[in-house]
């Protein structure tokens, strides 16, 4: 049996983080979590590019540009959609998730999903460095593991 264990070593990887400005009081914290998560796993600061977009609806297009550029080994998508504050919740959250998955599948470049979809701002903050940890850090870990797996499988 051959087994490819998860590899969380980010040394030498180039990563683009696409961040939505909407709900910036949350997305800034997710970005902090993603950057520190990449750094702790060996990704150099000069190999991290941060690209700001207006809102989560724009995140998929920017992930597609980054993933298709050939400049990055992985992309991290960050946004926050809060149900109680938008009538567009299903559209924005659904389109963001579908578009991000499509980017990953069409380009082959891993795109980690760091878009929060919560009922309240409090729930979002809990997941952005609060009681539930930081989903930005989790996305960083996923991005590195998938980039390493791609090197070995693709
Ligand atoms: C318009 C809008 C609304 C109502 N709510 C959110 C949200 O909760 N989270 C988010 O990231 N973006 C939101 N946006 C902005 C859209 O994502 C998008 O930027 C605009 O509709 C312009 O295309």
């Amino acid at each position: 049996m051959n087994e490819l264990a998860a590899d969380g070593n980010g040394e030498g990887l180039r990563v683009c983080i696409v961040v939505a400005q909407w709900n910036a009081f949350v997305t800034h914290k997710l970005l902090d979590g993603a950057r520190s998560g990449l750094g702790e796993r060996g990704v150099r600061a000069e190999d991290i590019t941060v690209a700001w977009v207006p809102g989560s609806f724009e995140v998929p297009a920017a992930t597609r540009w980054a993933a298709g550029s050939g400049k990055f080994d992985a992309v991290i998508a960050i946004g926050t959609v809060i149900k109680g504050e938008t009538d567009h919740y299903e559209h924005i959250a659904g389109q963001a998730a579908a578009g991000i998955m499509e980017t990953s599948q069409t380009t082959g470049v891993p795109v980690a999903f760091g878009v929060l979809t919560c009922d309240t701002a409090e729930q979002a903050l809990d997941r952005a460095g609060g009681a539930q940890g930081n989903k930005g850090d989790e996305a960083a870990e996923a991005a590195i593991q998938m980039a390493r797996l791609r090197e070995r499988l693709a």
Side-chain angles (χ1 to χ4, degrees):
M1 184 188 81
N2 295 313
E3 183 172 349
L4 301 174
D7 180 353
N9 180 5
E11 286 174 26
L13 294 180
R14 302 155 305 156
V15 180
C16 181
I17 309 174
V18 175
V19 198
Q21 297 168 64
W22 197 277
N23 290 323
F25 69 102
V26 181
T27 60
H28 277 263
K29 292 178 187 291
L30 294 170
L31 173 60
D32 289 345
R35 289 171 84 153
S36 57
L38 291 173
E40 284 162 13
R41 293 172 178 87
V43 180
R44 298 182 307 171
E46 57 265 42
D47 288 332
I48 300 172
T49 298
V50 176
W52 289 93
V53 297
S56 295
F57 193 75
E58 284 75 33
V59 166
T63 61
R64 180 69 181 79
W65 298 329
S69 71
K71 297 177 185 168
F72 303 105
D73 302 296
V75 178
I76 297 173
I78 287 179
T80 301
V81 189
I82 300 175
K83 191 172 191 175
E85 295 177 2
T86 175
D87 298 336
H88 296 61
Y89 179 83
E90 268 80 22
H91 297 298
I92 294 173
Q95 290 301 322
I100 289 163
M101 175 59 78
E102 189 185 347
T103 290
S104 194
Q105 292 186 333
T106 55
T107 64
V109 175
V111 184
F113 189 67
V115 178
L116 297 181
T117 52
C118 300
D119 289 332
T120 65
E122 185 182 6
Q123 286 177 357
L125 287 169
D126 275 350
R127 291 159 178 75
Q132 304 284 329
N134 192 314
K135 298 300 173 192
D137 176 64
E138 291 179 18
E141 183 178 31
I144 290 170
Q145 288 187 9
M146 289 300 287
R148 291 299 184 213
L149 186 60
R150 182 185 181 215
E151 287 173 348
R152 289 186 271 173
L153 277 183

